Amino acid sequence: MREPVTAYVGLGANLGDAAAQVRAALQWLQALPQSRCVAISGLWRTAPLEADGPDYCNAVAALHTRLTAPDLLSALHALEARAGRERPYRNAPRTLDLDLLLYGDARIESPRLTVPHPRWQQRAFVLVPLHEIAPQRVSAAALAAVADQPICRW
């Protein structure tokens, strides 16, 4: 049996009741096979970075999982589909967005998956909640670099 890996998942939603959608997704994450949710950040409000639309509700969860990174990504996509996620265009508003941010210390580059997430260090909505649950994963310099991005508790 595989040893568990600590994976960090970013959660976001900005359609419908975004906070309820993120809370539901956190419950679904806790029910993933071969996985256990070990930390959950608070909920954070951010404005969309690259498009117009309602504010996002964001969070980060830490999972101990025996799933491979590709299997975990597939499970996350299934949860997005369960929430009614559609992808009409890049950065479209969404009912639920689940990003595999980090998978242990793995570096993965494939057509389907890049870990660490390619933009995780550029986004306050990732770094602030990640710092809340895993401060050792976020440097002071990284937080300073996104200090101009508005973020507040939900």
Side-chain angles (χ1 to χ4, degrees):
M1 180 176 276
R2 295 173 48 87
E3 286 296 314
V5 171
T6 302
Y8 294 91
V9 176
L11 300 91
N14 75 333
L15 290 179
D17 187 340
Q21 197 71 306
V22 169
R23 286 186 188 103
L26 288 165
Q27 293 297 314
W28 299 340
L29 284 176
Q30 293 183 56
L32 285 178
Q34 301 179 59
S35 302
R36 183 171 52 94
C37 197
V38 294
I40 299 170
S41 75
L43 301 183
W44 294 86
R45 180 185 304 271
T46 59
L49 287 179
E50 300 170 2
D52 291 330
D55 285 352
Y56 277 88
C57 178
N58 295 104
V60 171
L63 302 174
H64 284 178
T65 186
R66 286 188 164 88
L67 295 173
T68 65
D71 288 344
L72 180 55
L73 181 65
S74 293
L76 298 178
H77 285 171
L79 295 180
E80 288 178 341
R82 178 178 179 181
R85 168 83 188 261
E86 296 178 359
R87 299 171 190 266
Y89 55 90
R90 182 172 162 78
N91 298 317
R94 54 208 67 166
T95 54
L96 183 63
D97 185 30
L98 299 174
D99 289 327
L100 180 53
L101 303 171
L102 301 165
Y103 185 83
D105 292 323
R107 298 215 173 270
I108 303 167
E109 289 193 37
S110 73
R112 187 167 171 252
L113 175 62
T114 301
V115 173
H117 188 284
R119 293 171 301 283
W120 76 281
Q121 291 191 18
Q122 301 166 5
R123 297 173 166 175
F125 66 81
V126 170
L127 293 178
V128 171
L130 179 59
H131 183 263
E132 183 181 348
I133 63 170
Q136 74 283 5
R137 289 292 201 156
V138 181
S139 71
L143 284 173
V146 298
D148 63 331
Q149 296 175 24
I151 184 168
C152 63
R153 290 277 183 187
W154 188 264

